[in-house]
Amino acid sequence: MKNRLLLLSLFVSIQAFSQTSNTGNDRFNLGLMGGWSGSNMAFREKPNVDGKLIGTTIEPGYFAGVSARQQISRRIATRLEAQYHVRGYRFLDNRNRFSFLELTPLFEINVSEQFSIVAGGYWAARLQQRLKAWNETSFKTIDPEVVELTDANDFGAVAGLNYRWKRFFALVRYQHGLNSAVDVEYTFTDGSTTSGRQFNRTVQIGVGYILL
């Protein structure tokens, strides 16, 4: 149900964008984008294990989606993006991956004809969660009804840079999760446990092509 609402809100927003004039400074663009992401779900406070502070590390991933852009004036534009995004983190030789459907509204300021700065927020709905334990050779899908490795919804702030050349564009983005992605408790082989709150921290590097 939540994923359907996310898709519906995307459709309505793009329709609203496209209803504006396509002449002069009010030009509407629609493009495709995709690329690499390096993500982490960092602890707000690292857990102490045997007197050592243990943290998470980066898990590589990828994203692909669509970008709708509405020029408002010579310097200002708005963007609405939707993407399928695979991200995660590593902790104590365990690898966690999650696939999300993300909706990202952005405010864009054109610094020059090619470069622009973007800032806004994102909301992500979890589609799947997978785990590769330290003693396993492949990822296994984990049923969220059994255990949640990350919350079903995630939201936060986004900032980045865009570079445009003719119909092509490149992007660099940083996602900073504001809600606790998961409150977890880990049990170690000696029976001891540790817990903490984790937050999404992701860098995206990608390219795109403007269809219209």
Side-chain angles (χ1 to χ4, degrees), residues 139-159:
F139 283 90
K140 293 183 178 180
T141 300
I142 306 298
D143 186 350
E145 297 294 331
V146 177
V147 59
E148 282 195 313
L149 301 177
T150 184
D151 286 354
N153 294 279
D154 180 34
F155 64 87
V158 179

Side-chain angles (χ1 to χ4, degrees), residues 3 6-7 10 32-37 61-67 81-87 97-104 123-130 141 175 202 204:
N3 293 343
L6 184 61
L7 289 172
L10 171 65
L32 300 176
M33 63 181 188
W36 174 89
S37 71
Y62 62 90
F63 67 96
V66 295
S67 176
E81 299 177 348
Q83 57 185 253
Y84 175 80
H85 190 184
V86 175
R87 51 184 168 91
R97 282 185 182 175
F98 315 104
S99 58
F100 289 92
L101 180 61
E102 297 181 357
L103 184 63
T104 308
W123 177 53
R126 186 193 63 215
L127 302 177
Q128 188 183 58
Q129 55 178 21
R130 304 175 67 201
T141 300
Q175 291 183 339
T202 298
Q204 296 178 294

Side-chain angles (χ1 to χ4, degrees), residues 40-49 52-58 89-94 186 188 194 198:
N40 196 354
M41 281 172 53
F43 288 103
R44 172 165 288 178
E45 295 182 3
K46 293 182 180 180
N48 190 316
V49 180
K52 296 181 180 180
L53 295 178
I54 304 297
T56 58
T57 56
I58 292 175
Y89 68 99
R90 300 185 183 189
F91 182 66
L92 297 176
D93 296 327
N94 294 325
Y186 294 98
F188 302 100
T194 185
Q198 295 175 249

Side-chain angles (χ1 to χ4, degrees), residues 19-194:
Q19 291 302 314
T20 58
S21 170
N22 288 332
T23 62
N25 287 328
D26 295 328
R27 186 175 179 182
F28 172 80
N29 296 120
L30 184 67
L32 300 176
M33 63 181 188
W36 174 89
S37 71
S39 58
N40 196 354
M41 281 172 53
F43 288 103
R44 172 165 288 178
E45 295 182 3
K46 293 182 180 180
N48 190 316
V49 180
D50 296 328
K52 296 181 180 180
L53 295 178
I54 304 297
T56 58
T57 56
I58 292 175
E59 172 69 16
Y62 62 90
F63 67 96
V66 295
S67 176
R69 182 180 184 273
Q70 179 65 53
Q71 192 76 30
I72 298 176
S73 68
R74 181 171 173 270
R75 289 289 185 185
I76 300 173
T78 56
R79 284 182 178 270
L80 181 65
E81 299 177 348
Q83 57 185 253
Y84 175 80
H85 190 184
V86 175
R87 51 184 168 91
Y89 68 99
R90 300 185 183 189
F91 182 66
L92 297 176
D93 296 327
N94 294 325
R95 299 175 62 184
N96 299 268
R97 282 185 182 175
F98 315 104
S99 58
F100 289 92
L101 180 61
E102 297 181 357
L103 184 63
T104 308
L106 296 167
F107 184 73
E108 180 176 347
I109 299 177
N110 299 317
V111 179
S112 67
E113 187 175 344
Q114 285 80 34
F115 284 97
S116 60
I117 300 171
V118 297
Y122 75 91
W123 177 53
R126 186 193 63 215
L127 302 177
Q128 188 183 58
Q129 55 178 21
R130 304 175 67 201
L131 169 66
K132 181 181 177 182
W134 64 274
N135 59 345
E136 296 178 343
T137 58
S138 61
F139 283 90
K140 293 183 178 180
T141 300
I142 306 298
D143 186 350
E145 297 294 331
V146 177
V147 59
E148 282 195 313
L149 301 177
T150 184
D151 286 354
N153 294 279
D154 180 34
F155 64 87
V158 179
L161 297 173
N162 277 15
Y163 175 79
R164 179 173 174 175
W165 181 74
K166 296 182 179 180
R167 285 187 172 269
F168 297 92
F169 63 92
L171 62 90
V172 177
R173 301 277 170 78
Y174 172 65
Q175 291 183 339
H176 189 88
L178 298 177
N179 72 315
S180 177
V182 65
D183 296 327
V184 295
E185 180 176 281
Y186 294 98
T187 301
F188 302 100
T189 54
D190 62 359
S192 63
T193 62
T194 185

